[in-house]
Amino acid sequence: MGVGIAVGLSGFAFGVTAAGAGISLAQTCALSLFVFTGASQLALVSALAAGGAPLTAAAGAFFLGFRNAFYGLRLSRLLGLRGGARLAAAHWVIDETSAVALAQRGQHAVRLGFTVTGATLFVLWNLTTLLGALGAEALGDTNAWGLDVAGPAAFLALLAPMVRSGVERATAGLAVVLGLGLLPVLPAGVPVLVAALAAPLVLLVHSRALPGKRAEGDAKSAERAGKRTAKEESR
């Protein structure tokens, strides 16, 4: 519930940012209600606010949201839901619910963590989106408040502890370099699309290096085995 409350409150930032980008109240609330994935929502409105083409902005949001499909593949087996419950749960498969669910042990705990986090976050996110959109006028220049970074900051705080292996760190680092490096030279919304290429690029390099590492490991194993055999024979 703590994660749901903490992240749910950042829906206020989305509401303010969307209003500042010229998106209507109805459209802003509809995005939170039906899209319900903060990173994609903020990417969409930020790209539009920066003058990006609607199609490019939507494409960037889509690719950011596509990661939830991979969460769903993992959670599908752990939650063990069927029929309508499974379809309803799919709408709540996002970073926060996945992180909490995957940290649990046992199906009951996984379901409880997923459901409580999802329900808390869904209600608060939509409520604070409405409040943010309604209160945007009272805040004046919304860009001066820097509220648009609240969502990405919360996303990074959840993601950082999950980046453990060398491949994961390399992917994250390359994505940051591509996204920030191309930000000044490409239209709004395009850098995030290019940054998505970090994962396949790193995996390609890693897969090519893997046979060599395996061969080296096999050679060392064979060498150790030979030494053990020589010691046994000398006895």
Side-chain angles (χ1 to χ4, degrees):
M1 184 177 288
V3 172
I5 293 174
V7 179
L9 293 176
S10 64
F12 183 83
F14 169 70
V16 172
T17 305
I23 298 176
S24 71
L25 177 63
Q27 290 171 330
T28 299
C29 291
L31 279 170
S32 281
L33 189 62
F34 297 112
V35 178
F36 187 53
T37 171
S40 294
Q41 292 177 232
L42 284 163
L44 175 65
V45 299
S46 297
L48 292 175
L55 184 60
T56 303
F62 171 79
F63 279 107
L64 273 176
F66 190 70
R67 70 190 185 282
N68 295 332
F70 296 100
Y71 295 153
L73 292 174
R74 175 66 172 148
L75 289 176
S76 176
R77 182 177 63 83
L78 294 177
L79 292 171
L81 299 175
R82 294 289 183 272
R86 183 173 184 173
L87 184 62
H91 191 51
W92 286 359
V93 176
I94 54 176
D95 300 304
E96 294 79 12
T97 55
S98 300
V100 172
L102 293 173
Q104 310 307 312
R105 294 291 179 269
Q107 189 176 76
H108 176 72
V110 170
R111 285 182 176 180
L112 183 63
F114 177 86
T115 304
V116 172
T117 303
T120 306
L121 185 51
F122 186 76
V123 171
L124 279 179
W125 181 266
N126 281 280
L127 178 60
T128 54
T129 291
L130 175 62
L131 294 175
L134 290 173
E137 263 188 53
L139 291 174
D141 183 9
T142 56
N143 292 326
W145 290 79
L147 293 174
D148 56 324
V149 303
F155 172 73
L156 289 176
L158 283 168
L159 179 65
M162 303 177 71
V163 179
R164 300 188 183 95
S165 70
V167 173
E168 291 168 345
R169 287 192 291 270
T171 302
L174 181 58
V176 170
V177 170
L178 289 174
L180 294 181
L182 296 174
L183 195 60
V185 296
L186 291 180
V190 176
V192 70
L193 298 178
V194 180
L197 297 174
L201 287 174
V202 171
L203 288 175
L204 178 62
V205 173
H206 179 68
S207 64
R208 288 185 174 181
L210 204 55
K213 291 181 179 179
R214 284 178 179 169
E216 184 180 346
D218 291 342
K220 289 182 179 179
S221 297
E223 184 180 351
R224 286 194 294 268
K227 288 180 179 179
R228 284 197 297 270
T229 302
K231 285 182 180 179
E232 291 173 359
E233 290 178 351
S234 65
R235 291 174 185 173

